[in-house]
Amino acid sequence: MVLHLGCGLDARVYRIDPPATVDWYDLDYPTVIELRERFLPPREHYTLIASSVTDPAGWTASPASGRC
């Protein structure tokens, strides 16, 4: 599992192209996630989380939040 905090417009998940065994989560402000959704294609095992890194509610959006 990868949890990329404050991902911005970094397209690392597309450059690295992780295997299907890796669940990848990108977390950033809602406006940034909206831009990512507009310009970057969706992928399997890849989840965008629209939240501030300092907002604890955003951390619960990840199914692995109990393991972090």
Side-chain angles (χ1 to χ4, degrees):
M1 180 185 86
V2 174
L3 179 58
H4 188 183
L5 302 175
C7 61
L9 297 177
D10 185 342
R12 184 176 321 221
V13 69
Y14 300 97
R15 292 191 318 268
I16 294 174
D17 193 24
T21 57
V22 174
D23 291 320
W24 191 293
Y25 300 88
D26 276 350
L27 184 142
D28 210 319
Y29 291 114
T31 53
V32 174
I33 296 300
E34 182 181 312
L35 282 173
R36 292 183 69 84
E37 291 173 334
R38 285 181 61 193
F39 295 109
L40 298 172
R43 344 174 6 119
E44 290 187 38
H45 304 281
Y46 176 55
T47 305
L48 295 169
I49 302 171
S51 177
S52 170
V53 173
T54 60
D55 181 3
W59 294 79
T60 60
S62 165
S65 61
R67 293 183 286 178
C68 292

